[in-house]
């Protein structure tokens, strides 16, 4: 590829400087002006081009490559607008008061064009399922509007966002009239100061093409859902018509090797994760990988993720795949392939018990009783379901409230469907004297002797450290296994400890020779953080970097431990068992073992 020469010209009507690129054979670039914001777009015209995802950033403004493509006229016709252009997030409800979202919008936002008021009826922030303060669920903003007739030309939804979450921006799902869905992944934004300071943020403009056929004369609805990730902040949004929609336009290719394996006719195949945006209509693509037969996939408008099966990589190196959506037209995508371990992921689901931290003590007791009752019901209806009480005190919470349910709980513990740990509560072990520390294990063993089961494991959650004499007490109490979900905010253990202790088992010994097999985990509620409580798509996306962090020389094994499922006193959702089952029916490895 030759060097790209850039020439600047002054765009008529706005006077801003824009760039044209010339002098390249394999790749051509177009940069156009769109309301003072440059837009960059890459197209492959050769067979050996490496295609990468690009984001053009100018003066704190990000534009998704391809999503602001040069489609349509320069003067599209607005059908409706919510908010004033460049009005910023302060023009909407709740600015500076995001924790009040659930109180103000318990059923999410429902906005009627021509009737609703943006300052009262449209929230400046749209939370995502990663936002605990907003209920840890997806949120849908619905716009209701009327059209005198179906638009003659294609439309586009223009979303201008003041900011997106800096670490985990949302994946958007756009649904028109309940039956046509489009997905788009937003880029990361600036930090959390934007939640109360409108001067902070990284603006994102997203133009989502919509064919006229999805609309109808009369009443219409458009729903914007944060399918995964965290929050985004609104500047304004507009639905426009007068757009020329390309029949098919694949952009923003990105490919990565994964540790996912599937059996095909009895032979193991490794998956390459291929992502791209389809700016056109629904289509099919064919993918050719070395040594494999041609693979065909349907693609939808918006964000697409395909898992292309290849022969397992035997060494690290660069490999090429060819992608085609039109006869005779191929894109070549380069992937860095790497050998991967056949992982087994052991999940120990529980809800963290933090009495008095999120609510009054009595309400916390009720919450964990509700979780235990849900677990008992799930055991009756789902043979794959397994649950754990995080602390033995949860059994006493239930006994005090419902003796019959407590008896059922003991039956499930005896059968191995629900786990009962050794420690009564999450103790600050350094404040306990020897007698108090021993007493912390007494209740679980009493229940074990009474109902005929052994207590062999203990855990400690959201505590910075554990006293050095603990392995002696654990071993003396008959405990063989110990895990701790370390509070890294108050005790950055892994910043100073031996790297082999990070998410890794080790023998923890005291001077008298007593020892337990121990595991120090970097936090807790890891199953939800990995997406196991959401769906297999989210799990697949988050599992890759997490397993990558463990694929290091000082971690010799192929088994990993996932500590907990739900955060501080959060409600339990039994769907994680079904997500694990669906995952295991799709992939041979990693195997999810709950």
């Amino acid at each position: 590829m030759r060097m790209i020469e850039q020439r600047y010209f002054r765009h008529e009507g706005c006077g801003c400087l824009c760039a044209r690129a010339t002098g390249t054979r394999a790749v051509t670039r177009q940069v156009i002006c769109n309301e003072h914001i440059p837009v960059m777009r890459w197209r492959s015209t050769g067979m050996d081009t490496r295609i990468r995802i690009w984001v053009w950033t100018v003066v704190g403004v990000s534009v998704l490559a391809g999503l602001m493509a040069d489609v349509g006229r320069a003067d599209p016709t607005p059908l409706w607008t919510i908010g004033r252009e460049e009005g910023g997030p302060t023009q909407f409800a709740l600015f500076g008061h995001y924790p009040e979202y659930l109180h103000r919008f318990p059923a999410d936002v429902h906005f009627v064009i021509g009737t609703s008021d943006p300052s009262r009826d449209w929230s400046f922030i749209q939370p995502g399922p990663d936002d605990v303060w907003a209920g840890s669920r997806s949120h849908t903003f619905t716009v209701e509007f009327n059209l005198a007739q179906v638009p003659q030309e294609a439309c586009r939804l223009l979303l201008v966002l003041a900011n997106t979450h800096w670490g985990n921006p949302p994946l958007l799902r756009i649904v028109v009239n309940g039956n046509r869905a489009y997905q788009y992944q937003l880029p990361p934004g600036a930090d959390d100061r934007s939640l109360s300071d409108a001067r902070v943020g990284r603006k994102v403009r997203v133009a989502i093409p919509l064919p006229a056929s999805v609309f109808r004369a009369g009443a219409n609805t458009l729903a914007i859902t944060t399918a995964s990730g965290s929050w985004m902040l609104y500047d304004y949004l507009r639905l426009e018509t007068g757009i020329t929609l390309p029949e098919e336009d694949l952009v923003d290719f990105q490919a990565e090797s994964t540790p996912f394996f599937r059996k095909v006719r009895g032979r193991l195949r490794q998956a390459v994760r291929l992502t791209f945006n389809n700016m056109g209509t629904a289509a099919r693509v064919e993918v050719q990988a070395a040594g494999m037969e041609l693979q065909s996939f349907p693609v939808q408008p918006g964000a697409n993720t395909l898992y292309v099966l290849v022969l397992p990589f035997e060494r690290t190196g660069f490999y090429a795949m060819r992608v085609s959506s039109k006869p005779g037209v191929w894109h070549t995508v380069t992937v860095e392939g790497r050998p991967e371990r056949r992982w087994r992921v052991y999940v120990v689901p529980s809800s963290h018990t933090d009495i008095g931290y999120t609510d009054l003590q009595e309400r916390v007791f009720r919450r964990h009783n509700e979780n235990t009752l849900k677990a008992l019901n799930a055991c009756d209806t789902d043979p794959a379901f397994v649950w754990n009480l995080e602390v033995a005190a949860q059994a006493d919470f239930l006994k005090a409230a419902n003796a019959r349910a407590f008896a059922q709980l003991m039956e499930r513990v005896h059968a191995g469907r629900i786990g009962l740990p050794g420690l009564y509560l999450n103790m600050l072990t350094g404040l306990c004297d020897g007698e108090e520390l021993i007493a912390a294990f007494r209740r679980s063993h009493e229940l074990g002797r009474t109902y005929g089961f052994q207590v062999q494991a203990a855990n400690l959650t959201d505590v910075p450290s554990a006293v050095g004499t603990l392995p002696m007490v654990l071993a003396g109490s008959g405990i063989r296994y110990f895990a701790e979900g370390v509070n890294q905010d108050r005790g950055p253990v892994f910043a100073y400890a031996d790297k082999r202790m990070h998410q890794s088992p080790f023998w923890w010994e005291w001077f008298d020779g007593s020892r337990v097999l121990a595991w120090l985990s970097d936090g807790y509620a890891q199953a939800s953080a990995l997406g196991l409580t959401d769906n297999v798509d989210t799990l697949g996306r988050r599992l890759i970097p997490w397993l990558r962090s463990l694929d290091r020389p000082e971690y010799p094994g192929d088994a990993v431990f996932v500590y907990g499922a739900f955060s501080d006193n959060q409600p339990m959702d039994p769907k994680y068992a079904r997500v694990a089952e669906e995952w295991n029916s799709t992939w041979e490895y990693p195997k999810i073992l709950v």
Side-chain angles (χ1 to χ4, degrees), residues 417-444:
R417 299 291 301 281
I418 296 179
L420 181 82
L423 271 171
Y424 192 69
L425 289 166
N426 291 309
M427 312 294 291
L428 292 173
T429 57
L431 299 181
C432 299
D433 61 26
E435 184 177 350
E436 290 169 335
L437 203 54
I438 293 170
F441 296 92
R442 183 177 300 148
R443 179 57 175 158
S444 61

Side-chain angles (χ1 to χ4, degrees), residues 49-50 52 255 257 270 272 288-290 310-322 332-339:
T49 304
R50 292 185 182 180
R52 294 285 189 265
S257 170
Q270 189 171 348
V272 170
Q288 178 70 65
V310 301
L311 297 173
F313 296 112
E314 297 181 354
R315 61 181 181 274
T316 300
F318 287 96
Y319 302 84
M321 297 189 305
R322 300 200 307 160
T332 299
V333 184
T334 302
V335 58
E336 184 179 8
R338 52 183 291 174

Side-chain angles (χ1 to χ4, degrees), residues 220-294:
N220 290 262
T221 60
L222 187 148
I224 305 170
T225 300
T226 47
S228 66
S230 188
W231 48 259
M232 62 182 185
L233 310 184
Y234 283 96
D235 192 328
Y236 70 96
L237 61 160
R238 176 187 299 152
L239 182 65
E240 305 171 327
T241 189
I243 306 299
T244 302
L245 192 65
E247 183 177 322
E248 173 270 319
D249 194 0
L250 306 183
V251 296
D252 304 338
F253 285 91
Q254 193 170 41
E256 65 173 328
S257 170
T258 77
F260 303 161
F261 293 85
R262 182 182 299 165
K263 274 192 175 179
V264 179
R265 294 188 289 273
R267 301 187 65 182
L268 212 57
R269 296 289 183 256
Q270 189 171 348
V272 170
R273 187 171 184 264
L274 176 65
T275 62
F276 55 88
N277 277 314
N278 176 19
M279 303 313 301
T281 56
R284 291 193 70 85
V285 299
E286 293 182 331
V287 182
Q288 178 70 65
M292 297 293 294
E293 60 189 26
L294 203 65

Side-chain angles (χ1 to χ4, degrees), residues 428-506:
L428 292 173
T429 57
L431 299 181
C432 299
D433 61 26
E435 184 177 350
E436 290 169 335
L437 203 54
I438 293 170
F441 296 92
R442 183 177 300 148
R443 179 57 175 158
S444 61
H445 286 297
E446 287 176 351
L447 292 173
R449 287 191 297 270
T450 302
Y451 295 96
F453 56 83
Q454 285 188 311
V455 179
Q456 295 185 315
N459 55 272
L460 188 62
T461 309
D462 198 20
V463 176
S465 62
V467 69
T469 54
L470 187 59
M472 177 180 64
V473 178
L474 289 166
S477 300
I479 302 296
R480 301 175 59 190
Y481 311 103
F482 173 75
E484 181 175 354
V486 181
N487 184 319
Q488 287 290 291
D489 293 329
R490 293 173 174 82
V493 172
F494 299 119
Y496 305 103
D498 190 317
K499 291 182 179 180
R500 290 173 296 179
M501 296 173 66
H502 187 196
Q503 287 288 135
S504 181
F506 61 96

Side-chain angles (χ1 to χ4, degrees), residues 163-180:
N163 201 16
T164 58
H165 189 271
W166 59 271
N168 199 13
L171 173 69
L172 294 187
R173 180 181 296 118
I174 312 297
V175 178
V176 180
N177 289 325
N179 56 15
R180 190 69 177 270

